[in-house]
Amino acid sequence: MLEVKDLNHWYTTEADALYENVHLSFEPGKLYAILGSSGSGKTTFVSLISGLDLPKKGDVYYDGTSIKKIGLSKFRNRYVSIVFQSYNLLPYMSALENIVSAMDITQSKQQDRKKYALSMLEKVGITEELAKKNVQKLSGGQQQRVAIVRAMCCDANLVVADEPTGNLDEQNSKEIIELFKQLAHEQKKTVIVITHEKEIARECDIVLELKNKKFNVIKENKTYKNEPEDY
């Protein structure tokens, strides 16, 4: 589904690169976690694999084709759903309108998009009454759940979430991860979660740790090769 080849990226000089010659592949039907300390480049990696930015060297491939060849705008609109740390909800719309408009843009195959969006919102504790409120009248945790559902409702086969449970309590975090599991295991999507929470990582199929400019697999097929560090 998604492949990274010879990835190198930096902001000032090549000597200060965040990553060096990274090779990674992400398969459909699996839930991935990427762990790393603050400033290690996790959020930048989200930007690169989501087509929000291009690496200085190397390339990102979706289904065997470079995302540069696909076109970054087309790639973002059609093939990837992103859950941003800052939500990125449209402030002049309701929660429901934010989701339905995203489904329209990505040409969702759902016949009744409004009904489907409401059913998904209900799964994360957002009632129809709350769904029809302007998003600015919702709490931070509620806005985060809306942003997650927006990504889930789109037909993209790749879902990338940057710290999706950062503003949620333990119970809501568990419910969100269960939804991500369903997306990966039942709908056969590729789901990549950026997190600093070991508890979240333990629920994922494959865990990568970003350290010393490299991504190391520390868990695969429910078996830990190394216990994740504390972040």
Side-chain angles (χ1 to χ4, degrees), residues 182-224:
Q182 290 176 28
L183 283 177
H185 301 157
E186 296 174 19
Q187 297 187 31
K188 303 303 178 186
K189 295 180 185 290
T190 303
V191 184
I192 304 169
V193 177
I194 310 299
T195 184
H196 66 275
E197 300 178 55
K198 291 195 292 184
E199 295 75 14
I200 299 302
R202 287 193 179 99
E203 297 297 317
C204 297
D205 302 310
I206 296 173
V207 179
L208 303 168
E209 185 177 45
L210 174 54
K211 187 177 180 181
N212 298 328
K213 305 182 182 183
K214 300 290 185 183
F215 291 83
N216 300 304
V217 177
I218 61 172
K219 177 191 174 186
E220 192 168 13
N221 299 324
K222 299 183 179 179
T223 301
Y224 270 101

Side-chain angles (χ1 to χ4, degrees), residues 28-45:
K30 292 185 178 179
L31 174 58
Y32 295 82
I34 296 179
L35 290 167
S37 60
S38 178
S40 61
K42 301 189 302 298
T43 295
T44 299
F45 188 70

Side-chain angles (χ1 to χ4, degrees), residues 18-29:
L18 291 169
Y19 333 108
E20 290 182 349
N21 304 320
V22 171
H23 298 266
L24 292 172
S25 60
F26 300 91
E27 301 174 12

Side-chain angles (χ1 to χ4, degrees), residues 51 67 70-80:
I67 63 172
I70 294 171
L72 299 190
S73 294
K74 182 179 179 181
F75 175 67
R76 291 193 301 268
N77 288 338
R78 294 284 184 87
Y79 303 116
V80 59

Side-chain angles (χ1 to χ4, degrees), residues 153-169:
C153 285
C154 296
D155 280 342
N157 287 322
L158 173 63
V159 178
V160 181
D162 189 8
E163 299 283 1
T165 60
N167 289 325
L168 302 180
D169 58 32

